[in-house]
Amino acid sequence: MSSLELSRAVRPKTQTVYRNDGRAKVTGRAQYADDYQFPKMVHAVPVFADTVRATIDEIYTAEAAAMPGVIRVITGADVPGAPYWGQIDRDMPLIAVDRINCEGDVVALVVAITREEALKAAKKVVLRVTELPPILDPQESLKDSSPVIRLEKESNLVAHHKIRRGDPSEKMPGCDLILEREFSTGRFEHAYLEPEGAVCFPRQDGVLEIYGSLQHPVSTRRFICGWLGLSFAEVEVFSHPVGGSFGGKDDTASAVCGRAALAAKLCGRAVKLIYDREWSFKESYKRPPYSMRYRFGFAADGELQAAEVDILADSGAYTSTVPWSTWRSTIQSCGPYRVSAVRTDVRAAATNNVFTGAFRGFGSPPVNFAVEQLMDEAAESLGMSEIEIRKRNMLTDGDTTITGQILDNHKVSLGEVLDLVTDAIDYDQKRASCSFGEPRDGKLYGIGLAIAYRGASVGAEAKDFCSCMINCQFDGSVLMETGIYENGQGAQSAMVLTLHKELGISLDRIRYSESTTSQVPEGGTTVASRGTLMGSAAVHDAVVTLKKIIADTLAPRLGCAPENIRFEDDQVKGGSMDLPWDQAMKWMFDARVYPFAFGSFKAPEVHYDEETGQGDPYFTYVYSCQAAEVEVEVESGAVKVVNVVAAHDIGQAVNPVLLEGQIYGGIIQGMGMALFENFTVEEGRVKSLNYNRYKIPRSTDIPAMEPHIVENFDPASPTGTKGIGEPALELIAPAIANALYRASGKRQYTLPMRNSK
């Protein structure tokens, strides 16, 4: 049986697959950014800086402008609005103006009739600069003697987050075991199938219409309006199929859309700008590299009593979302464990390397890699099992986290997911078969596990809310929109299924409208595993309003009180009558009452003190466990993951099959981070410019996978749901690391991990 067959073997036969956009994608009818065409459309290509850090003396564009087919060569001087913009700090240029901060900076944009003509002309743009010594090491960047590369800032410190709980300096001397370890993680590329791309069409009403490979239209609109000096009403960004994101199509993708929009505005015609893979690899942000120093103190019985954590991240040339990513690292710096004395410092520093930002899991994967190995090491040193020490320290109902949050408003299910995984994979028996460096038949074998908790939604990073509109038609069909955007993960399907369940109507009535920034109000970006939680809650709110409108209108004709009307089986039921849904909608329009409702959901309030790191950073958490089995070829040192079992408490499952798909994808992507992927930057210059220099897992590397969905209804969500996108990824690297140790007898403190030979 193949790995894929093994993965599918655990799926209950009764589960059905629902994907509202599936047919369009498998038949090739789905339109991605490069598929959009407009009359008289022209093409733009970027010109990149061939340097890492410099001041711009002059850009010579005359020769390029004179090339055949060229319409215009655009430079930073042509940007009409703010030259710099960003998610948090306004430090990212649309087109470099006076300085080069990294090799991925764009210094000009060539617009021509054809892409080929634009590419030829781009080679004629000449950049004259004064080279400056690049700052490439985040430790060096933070020294007082280092020049400040951050725009209008006093230092290169991008972020500093803290946890101050108790006094570990007092507790540590009394500990029976103190473990001090250093860990590091590299840069990682999102490796989405579709590179960045955009098409901008200037409409006759003056509005710039944007189609792009991007994850959040509202965020992109905000960037474009900042750079171009436009109001939100003058830019409309359309949602359409996206060939993957994983957190990677926000800042860079917004810049690509912004350049297409700038060119369209200046040239007065539709402009297409499609990136090739090398451009994408060079410019797009990566997962931030981490350097981590951990000091954990344990009692003889395994209790984790004190923790000192010092983390430094490389933000690269621009701030992007690094302050948010590193904040999440802070909250989860000690894993899902009770610790009474904690001092955590997480910093990020600017450098002239390729900039870094959001990536599936945000700042959780690096700290999980460290903490879960430390727990295994401590167990071994204290003569305990790795399961026993976790149960000794893991958070349970009513416990207090390292931020002082009391977990008393939902089920804390770490024990449940741990027991489920260890039973399903037969952990104890397989643990006894581990090689610890002693090969059998030319191979080493090991098994390992990891647990984690993850704050749901964006938490105290932002004010989180979402919206939904339901518009029932005269013939009984139903249009719906939400503020959650589809990046390929199946968010639309989850929203449709929620409406189907909540309103009791058939699926084939529902049409999910691909929203634009001019239709449904902002609902937040597609990050932080928040889509299903926030979107389904907004759908629920809209359905409550819609039901009341319908019930109040139809109750007199049905001969019952509004509160006695039921919505089920594709009918509106009340009194002695079961009214078919399409007939009910006709009655609504006959009564001149619109069966339309707007719903919204505001995440429960959270609070957090940045100076002490105390408070309730999230309103609820996802609990997870994953175990991995590995084999190592003794002769070559090649590592193969042969089996993974995962359990995640995601509240209530809306679309179980797609949920499993997220788990499969997260495991494979996490495997890449653990064993295969290494985005190489040398002296500030990107060397991994394509997949020949950046290895991701192949189909032959995929192990057997067994996902388990744990459903504990979460009271913080009206539909009981949480999320899975990021938890599925963030545990596999430490599980593999622990398995690899039991195979080889050697610990791995760096990602990606090298073979054991």
Side-chain angles (χ1 to χ4, degrees):
M1 186 178 289
S2 70
S3 296
L4 186 57
E5 288 171 330
L6 284 168
S7 300
R8 289 173 171 167
V10 301
R11 182 182 298 161
K13 299 297 184 183
T14 56
Q15 285 190 14
T16 58
V17 180
Y18 176 74
R19 181 95 196 206
N20 69 309
D21 57 355
R23 183 176 295 274
K25 289 182 174 179
V26 300
T27 58
R29 293 203 309 272
Q31 284 195 298
Y32 295 83
D34 196 24
D35 293 318
Y36 283 88
Q37 303 287 336
F38 291 93
K40 299 181 181 179
M41 186 178 74
V42 295
H43 297 263
V45 301
V47 179
F48 288 98
D50 188 28
T51 186
V52 176
R53 180 171 177 247
T55 57
I56 298 175
D57 298 327
E58 194 164 359
I59 301 176
Y60 296 96
T61 62
E63 188 176 357
M67 291 286 288
V70 172
I71 296 170
R72 183 160 183 168
V73 180
I74 300 169
T75 68
D78 297 312
V79 177
Y84 299 92
W85 207 257
Q87 296 276 8
I88 299 172
D89 290 340
R90 296 180 180 178
D91 62 353
M92 182 181 171
L94 181 63
I95 300 175
V97 181
D98 56 0
R99 68 186 71 188
I100 304 299
N101 276 339
C102 66
E103 186 192 22
D105 280 350
V106 171
V107 297
L109 196 67
V110 177
V111 185
I113 300 298
T114 69
R115 178 179 171 89
E116 291 71 23
E117 289 171 329
L119 287 168
K120 290 178 181 178
K123 297 176 182 178
K124 302 298 183 180
V125 175
V126 178
L127 177 67
R128 301 296 185 195
V129 301
T130 298
E131 297 274 0
L132 298 171
I135 303 166
L136 305 174
D137 184 282
Q139 292 279 8
E140 291 294 321
S141 175
L142 293 181
K143 291 181 178 178
D144 292 340
S145 58
S146 180
V148 177
I149 60 175
R150 301 185 70 213
L151 185 68
E152 298 179 354
K153 301 290 184 179
E154 295 181 355
S155 78
N156 290 322
L157 182 66
V158 173
H160 181 194
H161 307 293
K162 310 168 189 174
I163 300 287
R164 301 290 185 263
R165 179 172 177 80
D167 189 349
S169 65
E170 289 184 358
K171 283 261 189 162
M172 204 70 77
C175 292
D176 296 295
L177 172 67
I178 296 176
L179 290 178
E180 297 185 56
R181 298 289 183 268
E182 294 188 4
F183 301 85
S184 64
T185 63
R187 292 176 185 82
F188 297 98
E189 160 67 32
H190 299 81
Y192 26 72
L193 184 63
E194 179 194 22
E196 295 81 2
V199 181
C200 179
F201 173 66
R203 295 200 312 234
Q204 62 183 10
D205 60 1
V207 172
L208 294 177
E209 201 171 274
I210 309 291
Y211 302 82
S213 183
L214 52 97
Q215 69 185 53
H216 185 222
V218 173
S219 177
T220 296
R221 182 184 65 176
R222 188 164 56 245
F223 271 78
I224 292 172
C225 290
W227 280 318
L228 272 60
L230 301 173
S231 69
F232 286 177
E234 293 175 281
V235 175
E236 185 168 12
V237 185
F238 284 71
S239 173
H240 58 78
V242 173
S245 174
F246 313 114
K249 286 185 175 172
D250 211 328
D251 294 30
T252 305
S254 294
V256 174
C257 290
R259 291 171 194 139
L262 174 61
K265 184 174 178 63
L266 294 177
C267 299
R269 57 203 296 180
V271 174
K272 177 180 285 189
L273 171 57
I274 303 296
Y275 268 36
D276 64 26
R277 188 64 63 183
E278 293 194 358
W279 297 349
S280 176
F281 272 34
K282 179 180 289 189
E283 184 182 352
S284 66
Y285 54 90
K286 317 303 173 190
R287 189 187 294 279
Y290 273 40
S291 297
M292 300 176 284
R293 295 202 304 270
Y294 268 81
R295 193 166 187 248
F296 273 9
F298 295 85
D301 65 357
E303 180 188 358
L304 177 55
Q305 296 184 322
E308 295 174 347
V309 183
D310 192 355
I311 296 173
L312 180 59
D314 186 346
S315 180
Y318 303 112
T319 301
S320 185
T321 58
V322 167
W324 295 336
S325 298
T326 49
W327 180 73
R328 191 173 282 269
S329 302
T330 313
I331 308 305
Q332 297 178 226
S333 59
C334 293
Y337 303 111
R338 296 181 299 273
V339 198
S340 59
V342 181
R343 182 182 179 90
T344 295
D345 289 280
V346 181
R347 298 177 176 86
T351 68
N352 293 115
N353 292 310
V354 59
F355 77 113
T356 61
F359 196 138
R360 189 178 189 176
F362 252 39
S364 297
V367 295
N368 289 340
F369 176 66
V371 170
E372 289 302 286
Q373 288 201 80
L374 286 168
M375 297 305 288
D376 268 31
E377 284 198 66
E380 186 174 45
S381 297
L382 295 169
M384 306 171 64
S385 77
E386 54 271 23
I387 296 173
E388 182 183 0
I389 198 169
R390 285 176 171 79
K391 290 188 173 182
R392 176 75 177 82
N393 291 285
M394 68 171 56
L395 294 163
T396 58
D397 291 336
D399 274 345
T400 303
T401 71
I402 63 171
T403 71
Q405 182 172 4
I406 300 172
L407 301 178
D408 59 358
N409 65 340
H410 64 278
K411 175 66 176 175
V412 181
S413 54
L414 284 165
E416 185 176 356
V417 294
L418 176 60
D419 287 343
L420 198 162
V421 167
T422 53
D423 288 347
I425 204 168
D426 197 8
Y427 190 88
D428 288 338
Q429 181 174 338
K430 291 178 178 177
R431 171 70 166 77
S433 301
C434 292
S435 301
F436 288 98
E438 297 296 327
R440 299 172 189 172
D441 300 323
K443 291 184 179 180
L444 302 171
Y445 167 81
I447 189 171
L449 59 80
I451 64 172
Y453 77 153
R454 178 180 184 81
S457 202
V458 296
E461 296 169 25
K463 296 291 185 181
D464 207 1
F465 59 107
C466 192
S467 61
C468 170
M469 294 192 300
I470 303 173
N471 190 355
C472 303
Q473 306 297 297
F474 179 78
D475 65 351
S477 58
V478 178
L479 301 175
M480 75 172 301
E481 299 175 52
T482 73
I484 297 299
Y485 292 95
E486 174 73 43
N487 295 165
Q489 76 277 38
Q492 291 184 3
S493 302
M495 301 303 106
V496 172
L497 286 167
T498 300
L499 178 59
H500 157 69
K501 177 182 177 182
E502 297 266 327
L503 194 53
I505 60 175
S506 63
L507 279 171
D508 57 11
R509 292 191 183 277
I510 303 169
R511 173 73 60 181
Y512 191 99
S513 299
E514 293 184 343
S515 307
T516 81
T517 53
S518 299
Q519 294 171 210
V520 67
E522 177 169 4
T525 187
T526 304
V527 296
S529 305
R530 64 181 290 278
T532 301
L533 191 165
M534 299 299 297
S536 67
V539 173
H540 170 84
D541 187 61
V543 170
V544 169
T545 300
L546 180 64
K547 283 181 174 179
K548 187 177 188 312
I549 293 170
I550 296 173
D552 287 347
T553 304
L554 299 185
R557 296 188 69 171
L558 292 173
C560 65
E563 58 269 23
N564 293 330
I565 288 182
R566 307 184 314 280
F567 296 80
E568 58 190 28
D569 303 327
D570 210 33
Q571 296 173 326
V572 179
K573 299 180 179 181
S576 60
M577 183 179 296
D578 293 346
L579 187 64
W581 176 261
D582 51 2
Q583 185 62 45
M585 292 304 98
K586 289 181 173 63
W587 284 13
M588 289 295 297
F589 280 89
D590 286 344
R592 293 179 292 179
V593 176
Y594 291 112
F596 171 90
F598 176 80
S600 64
F601 177 69
K602 293 189 294 185
E605 290 293 328
V606 292
H607 61 90
Y608 186 77
D609 186 329
E610 276 285 351
E611 287 303 308
T612 63
Q614 297 300 288
D616 297 356
Y618 300 101
F619 58 84
T620 192
Y621 293 83
V622 175
Y623 300 98
S624 304
C625 178
Q626 290 181 345
E629 297 177 73
V630 303
E631 291 179 348
V632 183
E633 293 281 352
V634 175
E635 186 63 30
S636 66
V639 179
K640 183 171 181 60
V641 181
V642 296
N643 187 33
V644 176
V645 174
H648 299 273
D649 182 353
I650 46 73
Q652 295 291 288
V654 176
N655 197 348
V657 176
L658 262 63
L659 194 157
E660 289 179 359
Q662 285 287 297
I663 295 174
Y664 297 143
I667 289 170
I668 296 166
Q669 196 167 31
M671 278 174 47
M673 184 177 73
L675 297 171
F676 298 94
E677 301 177 34
N678 185 25
F679 193 88
T680 305
V681 178
E682 295 177 2
E683 298 301 315
R685 295 183 180 273
V686 174
K687 299 300 180 182
S688 301
L689 283 173
N690 215 316
Y691 291 115
N692 61 339
R693 294 288 299 275
Y694 188 77
K695 303 296 185 182
I696 62 174
R698 303 162 299 177
S699 59
T700 53
D701 298 314
I702 296 175
M705 295 177 283
E706 183 178 321
H708 293 268
I709 301 169
V710 176
E711 296 182 271
N712 288 302
F713 188 96
D714 196 291
S717 166
T719 59
T721 61
K722 298 182 187 179
I724 190 58
E726 291 164 300
L729 176 144
E730 61 191 23
L731 275 178
I732 192 63
I736 292 172
N738 287 330
L740 192 52
Y741 167 70
R742 293 193 183 89
S744 67
K746 299 176 183 178
R747 277 283 164 201
Q748 303 280 341
Y749 300 112
T750 300
L751 286 180
M753 290 177 273
R754 301 307 179 193
N755 63 42
S756 61
K757 190 176 181 182

